[in-house]
Coordinates of all heavy atoms in Angstrom, one line a residue:
A101 N -26.3 -12.4 -4.3 CA -27.7 -12.3 -4.7 C -28.6 -13.4 -4.1 O -29.8 -13.3 -3.6 CB -27.9 -12.3 -6.2
E102 N -28.1 -14.6 -4.1 CA -28.9 -15.7 -3.5 C -29.2 -15.6 -2.1 O -30.3 -15.8 -1.7 CB -28.1 -17.1 -3.8 CG -28.9 -18.3 -3.4 CD -28.2 -19.6 -3.6 OE1 -27.1 -19.6 -4.2 OE2 -28.8 -20.7 -3.4
I103 N -28.2 -15.2 -1.4 CA -28.4 -15.1 0.1 C -29.3 -13.8 0.4 O -30.3 -13.9 1.2 CB -27.0 -14.7 0.8 CG1 -26.1 -16.0 0.7 CG2 -27.2 -14.3 2.2 CD1 -24.7 -15.8 1.1
F104 N -29.1 -12.8 -0.4 CA -30.0 -11.6 -0.3 C -31.4 -12.0 -0.6 O -32.4 -11.6 0.3 CB -29.6 -10.4 -1.3 CG -30.2 -9.2 -1.1 CD1 -29.8 -8.2 -0.4 CD2 -31.4 -9.0 -2.0 CE1 -30.5 -7.0 -0.2 CE2 -32.1 -7.8 -1.8 CZ -31.7 -6.8 -1.0
L105 N -31.7 -12.8 -1.6 CA -33.1 -13.1 -1.9 C -33.7 -14.0 -1.0 O -34.9 -14.1 -0.7 CB -33.1 -13.7 -3.3 CG -32.9 -12.7 -4.5 CD1 -32.7 -13.4 -5.8 CD2 -34.0 -11.7 -4.7
K106 N -32.8 -14.8 -0.4 CA -33.4 -15.9 0.7 C -33.6 -15.1 2.0 O -34.5 -15.8 2.8 CB -32.3 -17.0 0.8 CG -32.4 -18.0 -0.3 CD -31.4 -19.1 0.0 CE -31.4 -20.2 -1.2 NZ -30.5 -21.3 -0.9
T107 N -32.9 -14.1 2.4 CA -33.0 -13.5 3.6 C -33.8 -12.3 3.8 O -34.1 -11.8 4.9 CB -31.6 -13.3 4.3 OG1 -30.9 -12.5 3.4 CG2 -30.9 -14.6 4.4
R108 N -34.1 -11.6 2.7 CA -34.8 -10.3 2.7 C -36.2 -10.5 2.1 O -36.5 -11.4 1.3 CB -34.1 -9.3 1.7 CG -32.6 -9.1 2.2 CD -32.6 -8.2 3.5 NE -32.9 -6.8 3.2 CZ -31.9 -6.0 2.9 NH1 -30.6 -6.3 3.1 NH2 -32.2 -4.8 2.8
T109 N -37.1 -9.7 2.5 CA -38.4 -9.9 2.2 C -39.1 -8.8 1.2 O -40.2 -8.8 0.9 CB -39.4 -9.9 3.5 OG1 -39.2 -8.7 4.2 CG2 -39.0 -11.1 4.3
E110 N -38.3 -7.8 0.9 CA -38.7 -6.7 0.0 C -39.3 -7.2 -1.3 O -38.7 -8.3 -1.9 CB -37.6 -5.7 -0.3 CG -37.1 -4.9 1.0 CD -35.9 -5.7 1.6 OE1 -35.8 -6.8 1.4 OE2 -35.3 -5.0 2.4
E111 N -40.3 -6.6 -1.8 CA -40.9 -7.0 -3.2 C -40.4 -5.9 -4.2 O -40.2 -4.8 -3.9 CB -42.3 -7.0 -3.0 CG -42.9 -8.1 -2.2 CD -42.9 -9.5 -2.8 OE1 -43.0 -9.5 -4.0 OE2 -42.8 -10.4 -2.1
Y112 N -40.2 -6.4 -5.4 CA -39.8 -5.5 -6.5 C -40.7 -5.7 -7.7 O -41.4 -6.7 -7.8 CB -38.3 -5.7 -6.8 CG -37.3 -5.6 -5.8 CD1 -37.0 -6.7 -4.9 CD2 -36.7 -4.3 -5.6 CE1 -36.2 -6.5 -3.8 CE2 -35.9 -4.2 -4.5 CZ -35.6 -5.2 -3.7 OH -34.8 -5.0 -2.7
D113 N -40.7 -4.7 -8.7 CA -41.4 -4.9 -9.9 C -40.8 -5.7 -10.9 O -41.3 -6.5 -11.6 CB -41.7 -3.4 -10.5 CG -42.6 -2.7 -9.5 OD1 -43.8 -3.1 -9.3 OD2 -42.2 -1.7 -8.9
V114 N -39.4 -5.6 -11.0 CA -38.5 -6.3 -11.8 C -37.2 -6.6 -11.2 O -36.6 -5.8 -10.5 CB -38.2 -5.5 -13.1 CG1 -37.4 -6.4 -14.1 CG2 -39.4 -5.0 -13.9
I115 N -36.7 -7.9 -11.4 CA -35.3 -8.2 -10.9 C -34.5 -8.6 -12.2 O -35.1 -9.3 -13.0 CB -35.4 -9.4 -10.0 CG1 -36.1 -9.0 -8.7 CG2 -34.0 -10.0 -9.6 CD1 -36.2 -10.1 -7.6
Y116 N -33.4 -8.0 -12.2 CA -32.5 -8.1 -13.3 C -31.2 -8.9 -13.0 O -30.7 -8.7 -12.0 CB -32.2 -6.7 -13.8 CG -31.2 -6.5 -15.0 CD1 -31.6 -7.1 -16.2 CD2 -30.0 -5.8 -14.8 CE1 -30.6 -6.9 -17.3 CE2 -29.2 -5.6 -15.9 CZ -29.6 -6.2 -17.1 OH -28.7 -6.0 -18.3
F117 N -30.8 -9.6 -14.1 CA -29.5 -10.4 -14.0 C -28.7 -10.1 -15.2 O -29.2 -10.2 -16.3 CB -29.6 -11.9 -13.8 CG -30.2 -12.4 -12.5 CD1 -31.6 -12.6 -12.5 CD2 -29.4 -12.6 -11.5 CE1 -32.1 -13.1 -11.3 CE2 -30.0 -13.0 -10.2 CZ -31.3 -13.3 -10.1
D118 N -27.5 -9.7 -15.1 CA -26.5 -9.6 -16.2 C -25.2 -10.4 -15.9 O -24.2 -9.8 -15.5 CB -26.3 -8.1 -16.4 CG -25.2 -7.9 -17.6 OD1 -24.9 -8.9 -18.4 OD2 -24.7 -6.7 -17.7
P119 N -25.3 -11.7 -16.0 CA -24.1 -12.5 -15.5 C -22.9 -12.3 -16.5 O -23.2 -11.9 -17.7 CB -24.6 -13.9 -15.7 CG -25.8 -13.9 -16.6 CD -26.4 -12.5 -16.4
M120 N -21.7 -12.6 -15.9 CA -20.6 -12.4 -16.7 C -20.6 -13.3 -18.0 O -20.8 -14.5 -17.8 CB -19.3 -12.7 -15.9 CG -18.0 -12.6 -16.6 SD -17.5 -10.9 -17.0 CE -17.1 -10.3 -15.4
F121 N -20.4 -12.8 -19.1 CA -20.2 -13.6 -20.3 C -18.9 -14.6 -20.2 O -17.9 -14.1 -19.8 CB -20.1 -12.8 -21.6 CG -21.3 -12.0 -21.9 CD1 -21.2 -10.8 -22.6 CD2 -22.6 -12.4 -21.6 CE1 -22.2 -10.1 -22.9 CE2 -23.8 -11.7 -21.9 CZ -23.6 -10.5 -22.6
E122 N -19.1 -15.8 -20.6 CA -18.0 -16.7 -20.6 C -16.9 -16.3 -21.5 O -15.8 -16.5 -21.2 CB -18.5 -18.2 -20.9 CG -19.3 -18.8 -19.8 CD -19.7 -20.3 -20.1 OE1 -18.9 -20.7 -21.0 OE2 -20.5 -20.8 -19.5
T123 N -17.3 -15.8 -22.7 CA -16.4 -15.3 -23.7 C -16.5 -13.8 -23.6 O -17.5 -13.3 -23.9 CB -16.6 -15.9 -25.1 OG1 -16.6 -17.2 -25.0 CG2 -15.5 -15.4 -26.0
P124 N -15.5 -13.0 -23.4 CA -15.5 -11.5 -23.4 C -16.0 -11.0 -24.7 O -15.7 -11.5 -25.8 CB -14.1 -11.1 -23.1 CG -13.3 -12.2 -22.6 CD -14.1 -13.5 -23.2

């Protein structure tokens, strides 16, 4: 995601993150 956001120029209405929970 970091590389994608730094190298691409497309605009979006919403960007979403669902990171892995530390405790399942």
Side-chain angles (χ1 to χ4, degrees):
E102 183 175 4
I103 295 173
F104 185 89
L105 290 168
K106 284 181 175 178
T107 57
R108 304 286 284 266
T109 59
E110 295 92 340
E111 295 284 330
Y112 299 89
D113 296 296
V114 184
I115 292 180
Y116 177 61
F117 292 93
D118 177 10
M120 178 72 74
F121 294 148
E122 291 185 12
T123 304

